[in-house]
């Protein structure tokens, strides 16, 4: 086992190699070391014939990224091979650069802090979460930020939508930092203690190391023209505990309809001059900051001369308001006003209940005149029947039906077809409930959602590989096949894009270790020209068939 170089600076990387000479051996498990991130890069092999003597070498390569300065011992690493076992170690020193005297570790160069403008918000009250990312002046990043984990698994309303802004430069202990702010709005569905500690990943742009060769001895398999590369780093972040308070029961008015925040209330009534039995529309508007979408309409007082219909939501183009409309029908000319309407909400700034009352609203109701019945006869009758004046209570004759049916015909609601169709609404309800439950389950379980997305994510890259195969573009073929491999296992195992490698996959999917290792090794060797194939379409088809077969077996596993 060797490491090259053995002396690096904090933003450099080293290559660790385990070589098996004239024997075969699998990749070894490197123990975790605080301050170092060790990633398996792949396997290469080499065979030489000198003076009619054949020698072989199998090399497993690892990439070592430091997070702090110091002296490190990698190992002991237990390596097993055909014929025995050996325990190996390697030494690495990470130092400061001459122009970087302050930095002792990555956390002093880049870190993140999470905070909120509220210390104890109330349930359903929206509050801001801010994640400030500090990057020391002089360090170049690509501007892409990824937040992973660290959020409550339940109790939050909807998905968090993060916005990124570069706000300021800040001095901390004599060092200048560029500060990037990630912010989002959070609402909780329940009261209690919520803990936030997200992991922020940034990509640092560093100069690419010079290449001495191309092939087996090139650990990065880089090109001849690249001068920079991007390296991911996960930053340290503090833990923010938020105590979310419930709306108190004490002092809660009867007109409280669930509003939490700060609102205003407006009411319009019209028309104000109607006849008895004609409708009057009451329009209510609630606007402000808070749980605006969860407010139900206030109740309107009634009496025996007012007929009320249920209030309904009215459309609004403003997301910061809700509108309701309620139809009221005065049944008598004794009605002189629409009663006052009260809206109560809990004010989160003053921590008390507030009530806004609008009205009463005067209206004019005109009575409907009594109708006089007239009897018209063209031929005088000897017998004059007494006529009763019915006024408004007139029963009108029904019009002639469009279709006559037999008296003994079976009604439609008693037919066999009707009874056969009865279960359909229940089945539709079950389907909708199942689809809604599945959607909510995927929204709350990112790992499950990515697991189900894995075959579809890989399929897109496989289709690109098939197109490249038909065009006989072997470079694009192997690149697309590698993307399919990374997309599948990244989603299947819920791994970040930069953490998909052979060693990580083999730990999680041990049953198909041989097939997976062969896939990773073959694709990597073809991508970087370590071991060139014949470039034939037949070879590509065979590899694509092996790829689909291996992923199909992995799909049937329960991990």
């Amino acid at each position: 086992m060797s490491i090259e170089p053995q002396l690096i600076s904090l933003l450099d990387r080293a290559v660790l190699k385990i070589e098996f000479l004239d024997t075969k051996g699998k990749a070894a498990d490197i123990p975790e070391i605080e301050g170092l991130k060790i990633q398996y890069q792949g396997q290469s092999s080499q065979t030489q014939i000198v003076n009619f003597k054949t020698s072989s070498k199998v090399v497993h390569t690892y990439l070592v990224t430091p997070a702090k300065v110091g002296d490190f011992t990698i190992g002991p690493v237990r390596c097993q091979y055909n014929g025995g076992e050996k325990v190996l170690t390697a030494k690495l020193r990470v130092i400061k650069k001459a122009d970087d005297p302050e930095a002792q570790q990555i956390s002093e160069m880049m870190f993140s802090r999470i905070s909120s403008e509220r210390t104890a918000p109330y349930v359903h009250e929206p509050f801001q979460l801010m994640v400030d990312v500090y990057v020391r002046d002089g360090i170049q990043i690509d501007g892409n930020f990824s937040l992973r984990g660290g959020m409550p698994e339940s109790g939050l309303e909807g998905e968090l939508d993060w916005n990124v802004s570069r706000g300021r430069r800040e001095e901390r202990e004599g060092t200048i930092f560029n500060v990037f702010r990630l912010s989002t709005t959070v609402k909780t569905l329940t009261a209690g203690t919520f803990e936030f500690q997200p992991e922020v990943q940034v990509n640092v742009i560093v100069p690419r190391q010079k290449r001495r060769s191309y092939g087996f001895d090139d650990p990065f398999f880089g090109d001849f023209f690249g001068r920079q590369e991007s390296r991911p780093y996960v930053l340290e972040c503090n833990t923010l505990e938020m105590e979310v308070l419930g709306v108190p029961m004490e002092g809660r008015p009867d007109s409280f309809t669930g509003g939490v925040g700060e609102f205003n209330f407006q009411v319009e009534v019209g028309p104000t001059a109607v006849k008895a039995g004609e409708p009057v529309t009451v329009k209510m508007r609630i606007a402000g900051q808070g749980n605006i979408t969860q407010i139900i309409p206030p109740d309107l007082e009634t009496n025996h001369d007012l007929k009320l219909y249920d209030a309904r939501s009215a459309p609004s183009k403003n997301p910061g308001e809700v509108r309701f409309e309620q139809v009221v029908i005065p049944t008598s000319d004794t009605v002189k006003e629409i009663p006052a309407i009260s809206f109560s909400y809990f004010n989160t700034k003053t921590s008390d209940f507030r009530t806004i009352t609008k009205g009463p609203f005067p209206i004019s109701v005109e009575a409907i005149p009594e109708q006089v019945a007239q009897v018209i006869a063209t031929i005088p009758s000897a017998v004059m029947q007494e006529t009763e004046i019915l006024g408004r209570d007139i029963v009108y004759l029904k019009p002639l039906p469009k279709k006559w049916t037999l008296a003994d015909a079976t009604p439609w609601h008693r037919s066999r077809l009707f009874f056969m169709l009865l279960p359909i609404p229940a089945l539709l309800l079950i389907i909708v409930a199942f689809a809604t439950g599945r959607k909510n389950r995927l929204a709350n379980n990112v790992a499950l959602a990515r697991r189900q997305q894995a075959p579809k994510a890989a399929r897109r890259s496989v289709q690109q590989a098939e197109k490249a195969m038909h065009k006989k573009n072997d470079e694009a073929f192997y690149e697309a096949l590698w993307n399919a491999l990374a997309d599948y296992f990244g989603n299947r195992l819920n791994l970040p894009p930069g953490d998909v490698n052979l060693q990580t996959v083999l730990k999680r999917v041990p049953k198909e270790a041989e097939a997976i290792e062969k896939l990773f090794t073959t694709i990597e060797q073809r991508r970087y020209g370590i071991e060139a194939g014949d470039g034939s379409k037949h070879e590509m088809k065979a590899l694509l068939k092996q790829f689909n077969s291996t992923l199909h077996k992995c799909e049937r596993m329960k991990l």
Side-chain angles (χ1 to χ4, degrees):
M1 183 167 68
S2 62
I3 190 166
E4 180 67 29
Q6 296 179 331
L7 180 65
I8 61 175
S9 64
L10 192 57
L11 288 181
D12 290 333
R13 291 192 288 186
V15 177
L16 180 71
K17 291 183 178 180
I18 300 179
E19 300 182 359
F20 295 87
L21 306 178
D22 295 326
T23 186
K24 293 183 179 180
K26 296 183 178 180
D29 291 332
I30 308 296
E32 294 185 2
I33 302 173
E34 183 182 358
L36 295 182
K37 183 178 180 181
I38 303 177
Q39 295 174 294
Y40 182 67
Q41 298 297 295
Q43 169 188 327
S44 62
S45 59
Q46 183 179 11
T47 302
Q48 292 182 344
I49 301 177
V50 179
N51 296 330
F52 303 102
K53 291 184 178 181
T54 303
S55 62
S56 63
K57 179 167 62 174
V58 177
V59 182
H60 294 278
T61 305
Y62 303 78
L63 198 60
V64 182
T65 304
K68 64 180 181 180
V69 300
D71 294 319
F72 300 92
T73 299
I74 301 176
V77 179
R78 191 174 301 276
C79 301
Q80 296 180 348
Y81 56 95
N82 294 342
E85 181 181 271
K86 197 169 184 179
V87 178
L88 305 172
T89 59
K91 300 286 187 180
L92 176 67
R93 169 170 288 186
V94 182
I95 63 173
K96 302 177 294 185
K97 282 187 175 181
D99 58 350
D100 193 17
E102 298 90 355
Q104 297 292 328
Q105 52 190 7
I106 290 295
S107 61
E108 296 181 4
M109 303 168 64
M110 298 176 291
F111 56 90
S112 61
R113 292 290 181 265
I114 185 170
S115 61
S116 176
E117 88 285 7
R118 295 298 307 274
T119 56
Y122 287 89
V123 64
H124 299 309
E125 178 193 3
F127 61 90
Q128 290 286 319
L129 278 183
M130 291 85 68
V131 177
D132 290 325
V133 179
Y134 292 80
V135 180
R136 208 181 65 189
D137 193 29
I139 297 178
Q140 184 181 358
I141 63 176
D142 64 1
N144 295 320
F145 301 90
S146 299
L147 272 73
R148 305 183 302 179
M151 294 294 170
E153 296 182 357
S154 60
L156 301 184
E157 179 183 340
E159 295 290 334
L160 299 183
D161 185 17
W162 293 90
N163 297 314
V164 182
S165 61
R166 180 171 180 173
R168 63 189 187 278
R169 287 164 61 88
E170 185 176 315
E171 179 184 356
R172 295 176 65 93
E173 299 180 357
T175 303
I176 298 176
F177 289 87
N178 293 311
V179 184
F180 302 82
R181 169 158 290 187
L182 287 72
S183 60
T184 187
T185 301
V186 181
K187 290 183 184 179
T188 64
L189 301 174
T190 60
T193 302
F194 291 82
E195 187 174 286
F196 302 91
Q197 190 183 17
E199 290 185 347
V200 183
Q201 177 177 301
V202 299
N203 298 317
V204 179
I205 306 300
V206 296
R208 189 186 295 270
Q209 296 178 352
K210 292 183 179 180
R211 309 296 195 252
R212 295 191 301 271
S213 62
Y214 181 75
F216 298 107
D217 297 327
D218 186 357
F220 302 105
F221 308 120
D223 55 32
F224 292 105
F225 304 103
R227 293 296 178 265
Q228 291 182 331
E229 60 182 343
S230 175
R231 299 179 185 174
Y233 288 90
V234 178
L235 309 184
E236 293 183 359
C237 187
N238 61 306
T239 301
L240 175 65
E241 287 190 355
M242 298 288 292
E243 183 69 27
V244 179
L245 307 177
V247 178
M249 295 296 297
E250 183 179 356
R252 182 178 295 190
D254 295 335
S255 55
F256 176 69
T257 58
V260 178
E262 192 171 10
F263 308 98
N264 57 63
F265 180 52
Q266 297 177 356
V267 180
E268 295 180 3
V269 174
T272 57
V274 295
K275 294 180 180 180
E278 293 183 346
V280 176
T281 302
V282 179
K283 298 180 179 180
M284 295 171 279
R285 175 182 175 272
I286 301 173
Q289 295 182 344
N291 61 333
I292 193 74
T293 59
Q294 295 174 336
I295 296 176
I296 62 177
D299 292 330
L300 181 64
E301 295 182 6
T302 185
N303 56 55
H304 64 280
D305 290 329
L306 282 178
K307 183 177 181 180
L308 301 182
Y309 289 85
D310 292 336
R312 65 178 183 87
S313 298
S316 174
K317 296 181 180 180
N318 186 358
E321 70 174 18
V322 289
R323 294 176 180 265
F324 303 103
E325 291 184 358
Q326 187 170 10
V327 175
V328 181
I329 297 180
T331 60
S332 171
D333 59 350
T334 59
V335 177
K336 303 300 181 185
E337 63 182 25
I338 301 297
I341 306 175
S342 295
F343 167 69
S344 296
Y345 66 94
F346 183 77
N347 192 309
T348 55
K349 292 185 178 180
T350 58
S351 299
D352 60 359
F353 290 94
R354 298 293 178 91
T355 299
I356 303 175
T357 301
K358 299 292 183 179
F361 306 93
I363 62 172
S364 174
V365 181
E366 180 183 349
I368 297 180
E370 292 291 336
Q371 296 180 0
V372 179
Q374 297 181 355
V375 179
I376 302 175
T378 56
I379 302 176
S381 175
V383 180
M384 298 298 294
Q385 298 182 352
E386 184 178 335
T387 303
E388 181 183 359
I389 299 177
L390 299 177
R392 295 178 60 193
D393 297 328
I394 297 176
V395 179
Y396 295 95
L397 295 177
K398 295 183 179 179
L400 184 69
K402 294 182 180 180
K403 182 178 180 182
W404 292 93
T405 57
L406 296 175
D408 58 349
T410 303
W412 65 269
H413 59 276
R414 293 185 181 179
S415 64
R416 181 179 298 178
L417 178 61
F418 176 75
F419 285 106
M420 293 176 62
L421 296 177
L422 274 179
I424 293 180
L427 292 176
L428 292 177
L429 184 61
I430 293 174
I431 294 173
V432 171
F434 176 78
T436 304
R438 181 178 182 273
K439 180 179 179 182
N440 294 336
R441 190 163 59 253
L442 294 178
N444 295 325
N445 192 336
V446 177
L448 177 61
R450 294 192 67 192
R451 159 69 184 91
Q452 297 189 3
Q453 187 68 17
K456 184 178 179 181
R459 196 176 300 118
R460 291 191 293 265
S461 297
V462 170
Q463 292 173 352
Q464 295 178 1
E466 291 174 345
K467 293 179 181 178
M469 178 180 65
H470 292 306
K471 295 180 180 179
K472 295 184 179 181
N473 188 346
D474 56 344
E475 181 180 351
F477 173 79
Y478 292 115
E479 186 67 28
L481 214 55
W482 169 255
N483 292 335
L485 204 62
D487 291 340
Y488 176 78
F489 285 110
N491 286 280
R492 182 75 163 84
L493 305 178
N494 194 23
L495 297 173
D499 288 354
V500 178
N501 54 65
L502 178 59
Q503 189 176 26
T504 303
V505 173
L506 290 181
K507 287 182 180 179
R508 302 281 294 276
V509 193
K511 292 184 180 179
E512 292 293 330
E514 184 176 352
I516 293 174
E517 182 176 359
K518 186 176 180 181
L519 268 182
F520 269 86
T521 303
T522 304
I523 294 174
E524 279 293 306
Q525 289 175 349
R526 299 294 191 273
R527 283 178 71 207
Y528 298 111
I530 301 174
E531 184 176 315
D534 55 15
S536 66
K537 191 174 181 180
H538 175 74
E539 182 186 42
M540 294 182 186
K541 281 186 176 180
L543 183 60
L544 191 59
K545 182 178 180 181
Q546 178 191 356
F547 179 91
N548 291 328
S549 175
T550 303
L551 262 62
H552 183 67
K553 293 179 181 178
C554 293
E555 271 298 294
R556 292 183 292 179
M557 295 180 187
K558 185 177 181 181
L559 304 181

